[in-house]
Amino acid sequence: MQPPPASLAALPASLRAPRVRGRRASAPTVVALKALPRRLALWPTRLAAVESRTRPPPSSPASAPPPLLENDSAGLDVRIGGGGGGDGGGGADLGWVRVFPHVLTASMANFLFGYHIGVMNGPIEDIARELGLQGNPLLQGLLVSIFIVGAFFGSLGSAALVDNFGCKRTLQVDSVPLILGALLSAQATSLDEMLLGRFLVGIGIGVNTVLVPLYISEVAPTKYRGSLGTLCQIGSCLGIIAALSFGIPSESDPHWWRTMLYAACVPGVLIIVGMQFAVESPLWLAKVGRLDDAKKVVEHIWGPSEVEKSMEEINSVVANNDSQASWSELLEEPHNRVALIGGSLFFLQQFAGINGVLYFSSLTFRDVGITSGILTSLYVGITNFAGSIVASNLMDKQGRKKLLTGSYIGMAGAMFLIAYAISFPLDEGVSHGLSITGTLLYIFTFAIGAGPVTGIIIPELSGARTRSKVMGFSFTVHWVCNFLVGLYFLELVKKFGVGAVYAGFGGVSLLSALFAYNFIVETKGRSLEEIEMSLSPAAAGKRE
């Protein structure tokens, strides 16, 4: 996707002084990257200084705001979403209603993501028996991991698809491998057929996980952007719960897994049909010259009162982003910082242990007499869903930074609680109770912040020019780390013990909380210009 840090010295000369919006960079990219650690250390100070400059004093509301932040609270965040979106009166706040059907249709892709995670949970032994893989844990693991490999390649290719076809058409086209992969898997009579089906599904999921949060960020009103963004996490949770619930008959019917995979075709068809009636991102429409269509979309989802100022700001953004970004621009400021934040957030999220905890939760519940793997997963899925609902209510009230920091602190406490219960001599009942409590607390606190915020804040921090590529890079990091945790988790448990591994997850969670507190910029209710100002020292210098 982009060259790793070790390869920077080997970059060709054409990339060492790349063009930025039609101009030569003032200094080589490599030099800028070498100075990145020093600049990272200065971020908190710069952010505090910039925020103090960009917000007027509370005691003087009549004072004129800086030019770039004009109409900050009610204006259109052209790359993030529309204005306040209020109902225009003193009644119930229904500003989200216009756009809700569109983002709900798109989030069906996340439902399908969750369904494909849960669909292999229960009947994996039946699949292995029917395909002749019983007793071969390596091949059984391959059935699961090939999905992640497909998702890796899907996330890599997502940026090109979105830039050329837009979010709406890409969602429709991307449903084709999801449907074909599900059909092929359902009809599989050999390992090769099953692997190909799961790989196709993975490609579709890899594209969708990048695409849906990007789409929501560009069509949702600023006031509701965070709450609507949590539909990604809620959709995944509901998909897992649906798959686990629908999979209950598999405990008595060894062929039920085929029916489950056939059923996975239905959401794909609904996405194709539903997105035909959904709007395209107005920013993308303007970028490809369809200004009249962009104007109609703005009027439809943000209201007639938003059209004039919204189109002015959209045209301004398009004028400053008159060509598609190249991957090499992720090596330049300020895009390299946003890409670093995105990759770091997913790296920390995965190595904080979420997939290891989900895998090991069945054994934790089995110790207290809950032997059904499906029932265990349902408990975990419902807890995850409950946390996501709480997050949807808090996202635009408490803000992303506070939820993310508090979430990781809660996850750390839960991990240390489980490690204590496992590693110290306690009454068996007390130990089991603490383990169950810690597991559910970990899942709940993850769902409040670390799960939804990570996918919401990355497109918010990214500029329109490089947003799809930053998202593609960040989710590529996600899938690589996901694969590594799944590959080595059991080996680490075998070598060091569950308590030590969980304590390690707790340590990473604390580091994640520190990272979020020091380096994450709050985006709640803030215009795009203000967000970019806080990340750009050069822009800050112009304001002084």
Side-chain angles (χ1 to χ4, degrees):
M1 184 170 196
Q2 73 170 30
S7 65
L8 291 177
L11 283 174
S14 61
L15 293 183
R16 294 180 184 175
R19 293 187 179 273
V20 183
R21 298 181 181 175
R23 299 188 301 271
R24 300 288 294 185
S26 59
T29 300
V30 177
V31 174
L33 281 173
K34 287 181 178 179
L36 184 57
R38 176 178 58 82
R39 290 171 177 160
L40 276 173
L42 297 176
W43 281 4
T45 304
R46 284 172 173 161
L47 296 185
V50 169
E51 289 176 4
S52 66
R53 290 194 299 269
T54 56
R55 293 191 180 277
S59 59
S60 56
S63 59
L68 284 178
L69 302 179
E70 197 170 329
N71 297 322
D72 178 51
S73 61
L76 169 67
D77 177 351
V78 295
R79 278 174 280 182
I80 302 299
D87 60 2
D93 188 354
L94 300 177
W96 53 272
V97 172
R98 290 173 181 260
V99 76
F100 184 75
H102 307 279
V103 298
L104 180 65
T105 303
S107 65
M108 230 184 303
N110 289 88
F111 175 89
L112 198 50
F113 172 38
Y115 187 89
H116 277 291
I117 291 176
V119 78
M120 300 294 285
N121 191 289
I124 184 65
E125 293 295 333
D126 294 331
I127 296 174
R129 188 182 304 110
E130 194 160 340
L131 298 182
L133 310 178
Q134 195 172 17
N136 193 329
L138 179 62
L139 292 181
Q140 291 182 36
L142 185 60
L143 284 179
V144 178
S145 60
I146 195 67
F147 172 86
I148 299 176
V149 175
F152 170 82
F153 286 106
S155 62
L156 275 178
S158 61
L161 291 172
V162 175
D163 289 342
N164 286 285
F165 301 109
C167 294
K168 176 178 175 177
R169 293 293 176 233
T170 302
L171 271 169
Q172 291 179 305
V173 172
D174 185 55
S175 297
V176 174
L178 289 168
I179 295 171
L180 292 178
L183 285 173
L184 189 59
S185 300
Q187 298 173 351
T189 57
S190 67
L191 175 62
D192 292 341
E193 292 175 345
M194 177 61 78
L195 290 177
L196 178 58
R198 294 294 290 172
F199 180 76
L200 288 174
V201 168
I203 289 176
I205 294 301
V207 173
N208 281 346
T209 51
V210 172
L211 186 58
V212 177
L214 190 152
Y215 175 76
I216 293 176
S217 73
E218 292 190 347
V219 302
T222 301
K223 183 177 180 181
Y224 313 101
R225 191 175 62 228
S227 297
L228 292 174
T230 60
L231 286 175
C232 296
Q233 178 82 1
I234 292 173
S236 298
C237 294
L238 290 176
I240 294 173
I241 293 172
L244 296 173
S245 302
F246 191 49
I248 291 176
S250 67
E251 295 187 346
S252 57
D253 183 353
H255 305 293
W256 185 252
W257 61 272
R258 294 188 184 274
T259 303
M260 296 177 67
L261 288 170
Y262 277 124
C265 299
V266 176
V269 174
L270 292 177
I271 292 171
I272 293 176
V273 176
M275 289 306 297
Q276 189 63 32
F277 301 96
V279 297
E280 180 57 88
S281 161
L283 178 60
W284 182 84
L285 290 171
K287 286 170 66 177
V288 296
R290 296 167 57 183
L291 294 176
D292 289 340
D293 291 335
K295 185 175 180 180
K296 291 177 182 177
V297 169
V298 170
E299 183 175 3
H300 177 60
I301 61 175
W302 297 334
S305 62
E306 296 288 334
V307 173
E308 184 177 353
K309 63 180 178 182
S310 298
M311 291 309 300
E312 287 179 2
E313 296 185 15
I314 286 177
N315 289 330
S316 175
V317 170
V318 171
N320 291 326
N321 296 277
D322 55 357
S323 62
Q324 289 189 7
S326 64
W327 284 107
S328 63
E329 288 189 40
L330 296 189
L331 301 175
E332 303 163 5
E333 292 188 4
H335 312 304
N336 55 2
R337 282 182 249 182
V338 178
L340 179 62
I341 288 175
S344 298
L345 284 176
F346 275 120
F347 175 88
L348 293 169
Q349 181 199 69
Q350 291 300 304
F351 283 97
I354 180 60
N355 288 303
V357 172
L358 291 174
Y359 178 88
F360 210 72
S361 62
S362 59
L363 299 181
T364 304
F365 280 79
R366 191 175 302 167
D367 287 339
V368 295
I370 303 175
T371 57
S372 171
I374 292 180
L375 188 59
T376 296
S377 298
L378 275 175
Y379 283 135
V380 172
I382 292 171
T383 303
N384 199 354
F385 175 71
S388 300
I389 294 296
V390 173
S392 70
N393 290 318
L394 296 179
M395 193 67 64
D396 287 316
K397 297 176 182 177
Q398 298 299 321
R400 286 62 151 160
K401 182 174 182 176
K402 187 178 294 185
L403 285 183
L404 190 61
T405 305
S407 171
Y408 276 119
I409 291 174
M411 290 163 62
M415 286 291 94
F416 292 140
L417 179 64
I418 298 174
Y420 172 76
I422 293 174
S423 304
F424 289 87
L426 300 173
D427 178 79
E428 185 176 359
V430 174
S431 178
H432 289 167
L434 291 177
S435 297
I436 293 292
T437 301
T439 299
L440 295 180
L441 178 62
Y442 179 91
I443 299 296
F444 184 80
T445 52
F446 172 86
I448 288 178
V453 172
T454 304
I456 291 172
I457 201 169
I458 296 173
E460 290 182 330
L461 293 175
S462 307
R465 182 177 175 82
T466 57
R467 180 176 295 123
S468 61
K469 288 181 171 57
V470 169
M471 289 288 287
F473 165 74
S474 301
F475 272 95
T476 299
V477 173
H478 167 272
W479 292 116
V480 170
C481 295
N482 187 317
F483 179 80
L484 291 175
V485 171
L487 183 64
Y488 291 108
F489 176 72
L490 289 181
E491 289 296 324
L492 291 173
V493 168
K494 186 184 299 184
K495 185 172 183 178
F496 299 105
V498 179
V501 173
Y502 274 28
F505 288 156
V508 174
S509 297
L510 284 180
L511 290 176
S512 303
L514 289 173
F515 179 86
Y517 182 78
N518 285 286
F519 299 123
I520 296 301
V521 181
E522 181 55 68
T523 58
K524 179 195 71 169
R526 301 178 69 184
S527 70
L528 179 65
E529 290 81 8
E530 187 179 352
I531 295 171
E532 290 190 343
M533 184 70 67
S534 63
L535 287 175
S536 176
K542 294 179 182 179
R543 293 282 309 279
E544 291 177 348

